[in-house]
Amino acid sequence: MPEPRDIATFPSYRLPALDQDFLLGDSMRGVRFLLEYSKAEEALRAWQVRSTIVVFGSARVRENGPGPQARWYEEARRFARIASERGGALRQEERIRDNVIATGGGPGLMEAANRGAMEAGAPSIGFNVALPHEQAPNAYTTPELTFQFHYFAMRKMHLAMRANGLVVFPGGFGTLDELFEILTLRATDKSPPVAIVLFDEAYWRSIVKFDALVAHGMVTPEEVALFRFADDAEAAWTALEDQGLCSIRR
């Protein structure tokens, strides 16, 4: 006679919602996408966040860094303070919040933007992603609006889906990735109008030859006109307003 078995100890008997091996398996990838979407969405709705201004920039820039780094950090911090004070993130009496600062949640220029929002007394969002290095939540995001994603795609979706404005400070591969993704969405009419500003014109023109892209017929002059340049925080805010920031609504 076979020995009786305690069936309740077998993995197949676990409740699916409590079975980590099952939930983290390949067949549940779609469910994990849904969970990453829904968790952040629920929190943002609870805080009445209707729209955001997304700030991108390098995680490697430091407040006291060499060359232009200190200025970039300070201007990102100042811009976020201006945007938070003027854009609608502080409208507590109306409950609905517009143009809330949102970043990738990490260090560097992301930290500077979240810091500026906090100094204005406004909430700000950190959309972190699990990475082997350079990614840990900075101390300035609103704790209830600080998220961690496994999937870059879902993180990008949350960064884009409420964005009224995008201010892109100097950065590397990750910053370029986010910038060109938003530009592609705009150029193909896959997203509503988004006011886009590139901070530090000399930096951006030195690393991306926009005129050459037009000259070679790779992009149109109209597509290059989808963004503006700015060299200080006040000019960045003005450039957003000139592109209709305050009239853009979801």
Side-chain angles (χ1 to χ4, degrees):
M1 286 284 294
E3 291 291 323
R5 296 169 294 180
D6 185 357
I7 297 297
T9 64
F10 279 67
S12 60
Y13 190 74
R14 296 175 192 154
L15 287 170
L18 302 179
D19 188 340
Q20 286 281 296
D21 294 332
F22 171 67
L23 287 174
L24 297 177
D26 187 65
S27 66
M28 288 294 101
R29 193 182 305 274
V31 173
R32 295 196 299 274
F33 261 76
L34 175 60
L35 289 171
E36 291 204 346
Y37 170 79
S38 298
K39 183 175 181 180
E41 179 72 8
E42 188 173 300
L44 291 165
R45 286 183 181 275
W47 275 70
Q48 298 289 304
V49 176
R50 178 166 58 180
S51 63
T52 61
I53 295 176
V54 176
V55 179
F56 291 140
S58 176
R60 300 179 182 182
V61 168
R62 295 293 176 263
E63 181 178 10
N64 57 353
Q69 287 195 16
R71 185 179 73 85
W72 290 339
Y73 186 100
E74 180 54 33
E75 290 299 311
R77 179 178 173 183
R78 192 161 74 93
F79 168 77
R81 189 162 60 245
I82 290 170
S84 296
E85 291 170 348
R86 302 178 191 175
L90 289 171
R91 292 180 186 167
Q92 296 179 5
E93 69 279 2
E94 297 178 19
R95 298 199 67 200
I96 298 295
R97 298 180 187 271
D98 278 310
N99 301 318
V100 175
I101 292 295
T103 77
L109 292 170
M110 295 175 282
E111 172 192 291
N114 291 123
R115 183 175 179 179
M118 189 189 75
E119 290 167 346
S124 71
I125 304 162
F127 291 119
N128 294 265
V129 66
L131 295 175
H133 55 83
E134 289 187 346
Q135 184 68 35
N138 68 64
Y140 302 104
T141 55
T142 300
E144 295 86 354
L145 298 176
T146 303
F147 312 104
Q148 182 176 201
F149 295 87
H150 173 74
Y151 296 108
F152 264 110
M154 190 52 65
R155 180 209 199 199
K156 288 179 177 183
M157 181 174 175
H158 270 294
L159 280 164
M161 65 185 291
R162 285 181 172 81
N164 271 353
L166 172 67
V167 180
V168 190
F169 283 80
F173 287 165
T175 303
L176 288 166
D177 174 47
E178 302 287 1
L179 167 61
F180 283 108
E181 182 161 40
I182 297 296
L183 285 175
T184 300
L185 291 172
R186 287 294 301 114
T188 56
D189 289 325
K190 288 293 186 180
S191 77
V194 178
I196 302 171
V197 176
L198 307 190
F199 189 92
D200 194 331
E201 183 172 0
Y203 174 85
W204 285 107
R205 289 198 182 278
S206 72
I207 64 169
V208 183
K209 304 301 184 184
F210 296 107
D211 292 340
L213 288 169
V214 175
H216 286 288
M218 300 297 111
V219 300
T220 67
E222 291 76 19
E223 288 167 342
V224 172
L226 289 171
F227 57 85
R228 310 281 179 86
F229 293 103
D231 289 317
D232 63 65
E234 191 68 48
W237 175 254
T238 299
L240 290 177
E241 287 191 311
D242 288 347
Q243 294 175 78
L245 174 78
C246 293
S247 64
I248 301 171
R249 289 291 179 264
R250 296 296 187 272

